[in-house]
Amino acid sequence: MFSSIFSTSPPVDAKAPNFRSVSESFKEDELFGELTPKDTEWACASGGFITETQVYYTTTEDGNSLMCQVIHSSVGVWYPTIQFTCKWHNPKTGETVWKSVNVSNFVSPPPGLDKRSCRADQFSITHKAAPGTDFPESYFISANLATDIQISLEISRPASVPGWKLGKGEKGGFSYFGANPASPDGHVIHRFWPRFHATGHFIHKGQAHVVKGPGMFVHAIQGMRPDLVASRWGFANFQSSEHGGVSAIQMEFTTTDAYGKHGSKSGGVAVNVGSLVVGGKLVCVTGSTKWAKAESPAANVVCRATHSKLALDDTGYEKPGEILFEWAGPSVLPGESGNYSAKLSVDLGDVKNPKGLIEKVDVLGEIPYVLKVTVNYVAGTKPFIYQWFNPGKLTITEPGSDKPVEVDGMLYNEASFLS
C-alpha cells in the first residue's frame, strides 16, 4: 500500500512519454463533452492518494464573492478526511470571512438520493433534477459551520449552458500520469458548470448578506499525491450580466519535472482547459497543451494564461503583476460554424501595492493534518495560493464578425505555487 503511495520510480524506458494531456487526446470537433449524471457523482475513493473536490464560485450582483467547497481527501490506509470551506469577500469594505471545518458523519448518497448529493452533520448539498425546464439541474446548499456562520443557497444551471468536460465519452476530462495509460500512476480530471444562477444568503454574526448572481461549479479529482501532480495551478472565473450573460473560465496545471513528453526531467507541461458562455449560451469549449521548451504553435484552438511583470515576494515565489487570459475554439452551438475567441488582461499590482488581492493562502495551514504531514515530509514544500477579485473587461470576437465586443464584469482568479 505505502509503496504505491510514496513511489516516484521512473518508467523502465527513461525517455518514454509518461504524461498524456487531455487537450491532445481529442480532435477539434470532439472537445465538447457534455456531462452525464454520473460525471458529477461523488467517487469517494479510498486507498492510495486521491483528493476530490466540488466547488461553487458565486459573483453577486452587488460585487461580492462567495466560494463554497467540499474536499474529500483519501490518504492510504487512513480514513478519508472531509472538509467544508467557504470564503466571503466584499471588495468595497475589504471584509473577508474564511471558515474551514472538518466535518463528521459524511455520506454520499444520503438516503433516497443519488451520489450527486451529500451531507454531513454540518452541511447538506442536495441535487435536484427538473428535465425539460429552463433550469434542469439545481443544488441546494445548507451549512451551519459555526455559531456565527450559516449558508443557504440554491444553485441552478440554465438549460442553455450544459455542463462540460474536455472530450467526448468516458475518457473525456482525463489527463494521465505514467508510461502506461492503461495502468497510470495517477490522473487529473475536471468537470464544469461554466455558468449558474445563485440565490440565497450568507449569514455572518447574525447579518444576512444576500447572495444573488452568476457563478460556476467545478468537480475535480487528483488521483495522485498533489505535489507530484503539479508544480503550479491557475484558475480564472469571469462573470458578467452584460451581452445576455457572459462567462469565461480556465483551469490550468503545470506538471512537475518528473512527468513530460520524454519521461522524467522533461516536465513543466502546462495543460489548460476552458470555455466561453456568450449571450447566455455555451458557445465554445477549448483546451491546449504547452510542452516544456516548446513554442506555442499558432492554432485555431487556444486556452492560455500568460504571467508577466513577475516579482519575488515574501513567499519565495514570483508573483505575477499581470496575467493575460486567452480563449479560442470552434463554436459548439448547433448549426453555427466558425470560431469564437476572447481575451482578458488583469492588472494585479506589485508586491507593495497589490490590486484585488483577497489573500495569500498558506496551504499547509489549511489542509487536513494527515495530508499536510505526508506532503511536507516527502516533498519539503510550502505551497501558497494567491486569490484575487477584480473588475475586468473581456474582449470577444464572434464567428463571422471582425468587430470585437467588450464586456465588463468581475474576475476571480487564483495562482497556486506548490514547488
Side-chain angles (χ1 to χ4, degrees), residues 9-30:
S9 301
V12 175
D13 180 356
K15 295 297 182 181
N18 66 352
F19 176 71
R20 287 161 177 81
S21 166
V22 62
S23 64
E24 295 207 340
S25 300
F26 298 92
K27 299 176 182 178
E28 284 189 20
D29 60 354
E30 297 176 333

Side-chain angles (χ1 to χ4, degrees), residues 262-334:
H262 304 292
S264 182
K265 305 299 181 184
S266 68
V269 185
V271 180
N272 196 325
V273 299
S275 68
L276 296 172
V277 172
V278 179
K281 299 177 181 179
L282 179 66
V283 299
C284 177
V285 172
T286 184
S288 62
T289 302
K290 186 179 185 303
W291 297 96
K293 300 178 182 179
E295 294 295 324
S296 297
N300 291 328
V301 177
V302 175
C303 198
R304 185 164 51 222
T306 305
H307 291 203
S308 59
K309 300 180 181 179
L310 306 180
L312 196 68
D313 74 359
D314 57 0
T315 66
Y317 296 107
E318 287 189 320
K319 179 197 82 69
E322 186 174 279
I323 304 179
L324 173 64
F325 297 100
E326 299 173 274
W327 297 258
S331 171
V332 300
L333 287 176

Side-chain angles (χ1 to χ4, degrees), residues 229-280:
V229 169
S231 61
R232 295 185 178 186
W233 285 90
F235 170 63
N237 170 31
F238 174 86
Q239 300 288 340
S240 173
S241 60
E242 296 185 0
H243 202 58
V246 171
S247 158
I249 65 171
Q250 284 189 10
M251 183 73 74
E252 180 183 63
F253 67 92
T254 303
T255 67
T256 65
D257 196 41
Y259 291 93
K261 184 174 283 189
H262 304 292
S264 182
K265 305 299 181 184
S266 68
V269 185
V271 180
N272 196 325
V273 299
S275 68
L276 296 172
V277 172
V278 179

Side-chain angles (χ1 to χ4, degrees), residues 184-217:
D185 297 347
H187 63 271
V188 170
I189 183 167
H190 293 92
R191 297 145 175 160
F192 301 92
W193 286 8
R195 188 170 173 89
F196 62 60
H197 182 69
T199 57
H201 293 87
F202 173 77
I203 302 170
H204 181 230
K205 295 182 177 179
Q207 182 179 358
H209 300 274
V210 174
V211 178
K212 184 179 181 181
M216 63 85 67
F217 160 75

Side-chain angles (χ1 to χ4, degrees), residues 37-38 40-42 107-119 125-129 137 139:
K38 187 174 178 61
T40 48
E41 290 183 350
W42 280 94
V107 61
S108 180
L113 299 170
D114 65 27
K115 295 193 72 173
R116 290 174 289 181
S117 300
C118 61
R119 78 177 184 195
I125 299 179
T126 302
H127 177 274
K128 292 189 177 180
E137 287 186 278
Y139 285 101

Side-chain angles (χ1 to χ4, degrees), residues 31-360:
L31 294 176
F32 171 42
E34 186 168 357
L35 295 186
T36 67
K38 187 174 178 61
D39 284 326
T40 48
E41 290 183 350
W42 280 94
C44 297
S46 59
F49 209 126
I50 301 172
T51 303
E52 181 177 12
T53 183
Q54 293 193 352
V55 197
Y56 307 81
Y57 297 91
T58 302
T59 301
T60 69
E61 291 178 350
D62 51 356
N64 299 322
S65 171
L66 176 64
M67 180 272 289
C68 297
Q69 178 178 29
V70 180
I71 309 168
H72 184 286
S73 304
S74 174
V75 184
V77 296
W78 290 288
Y79 190 78
T81 299
I82 295 89
Q83 290 175 284
F84 189 105
T85 69
C86 72
K87 180 170 287 186
W88 167 266
H89 178 67
N90 182 331
K92 298 182 184 71
T93 65
E95 180 188 25
T96 300
V97 180
W98 162 252
K99 188 67 178 179
S100 178
V101 176
N102 287 340
V103 306
S104 52
N105 296 317
F106 174 86
V107 61
S108 180
L113 299 170
D114 65 27
K115 295 193 72 173
R116 290 174 289 181
S117 300
C118 61
R119 78 177 184 195
D121 291 341
Q122 295 80 3
F123 78 93
S124 67
I125 299 179
T126 302
H127 177 274
K128 292 189 177 180
T133 68
D134 291 341
F135 294 93
E137 287 186 278
S138 297
Y139 285 101
F140 293 84
I141 303 173
S142 178
N144 188 358
L145 305 181
T147 56
D148 61 347
I149 297 179
Q150 294 84 38
I151 299 169
S152 177
L153 288 178
E154 180 179 357
I155 303 291
S156 301
R157 179 183 65 78
S160 57
V161 187
W164 66 269
K165 58 191 175 186
L166 196 75
K168 296 180 182 295
E170 292 186 359
K171 299 297 184 182
F174 281 89
S175 290
Y176 292 102
F177 297 78
N180 181 3
S183 181
D185 297 347
H187 63 271
V188 170
I189 183 167
H190 293 92
R191 297 145 175 160
F192 301 92
W193 286 8
R195 188 170 173 89
F196 62 60
H197 182 69
T199 57
H201 293 87
F202 173 77
I203 302 170
H204 181 230
K205 295 182 177 179
Q207 182 179 358
H209 300 274
V210 174
V211 178
K212 184 179 181 181
M216 63 85 67
F217 160 75
V218 58
H219 181 192
I221 301 174
Q222 295 183 42
M224 194 163 66
R225 216 174 69 213
D227 57 301
L228 296 181
V229 169
S231 61
R232 295 185 178 186
W233 285 90
F235 170 63
N237 170 31
F238 174 86
Q239 300 288 340
S240 173
S241 60
E242 296 185 0
H243 202 58
V246 171
S247 158
I249 65 171
Q250 284 189 10
M251 183 73 74
E252 180 183 63
F253 67 92
T254 303
T255 67
T256 65
D257 196 41
Y259 291 93
K261 184 174 283 189
H262 304 292
S264 182
K265 305 299 181 184
S266 68
V269 185
V271 180
N272 196 325
V273 299
S275 68
L276 296 172
V277 172
V278 179
K281 299 177 181 179
L282 179 66
V283 299
C284 177
V285 172
T286 184
S288 62
T289 302
K290 186 179 185 303
W291 297 96
K293 300 178 182 179
E295 294 295 324
S296 297
N300 291 328
V301 177
V302 175
C303 198
R304 185 164 51 222
T306 305
H307 291 203
S308 59
K309 300 180 181 179
L310 306 180
L312 196 68
D313 74 359
D314 57 0
T315 66
Y317 296 107
E318 287 189 320
K319 179 197 82 69
E322 186 174 279
I323 304 179
L324 173 64
F325 297 100
E326 299 173 274
W327 297 258
S331 171
V332 300
L333 287 176
E336 182 180 61
S337 59
N339 270 34
Y340 279 86
S341 64
K343 292 184 179 183
L344 186 156
S345 181
V346 59
D347 179 4
L348 303 173
D350 56 27
V351 173
K352 291 185 178 180
N353 299 290
K355 292 184 178 180
L357 181 65
I358 301 175
E359 190 175 1
K360 289 186 291 188

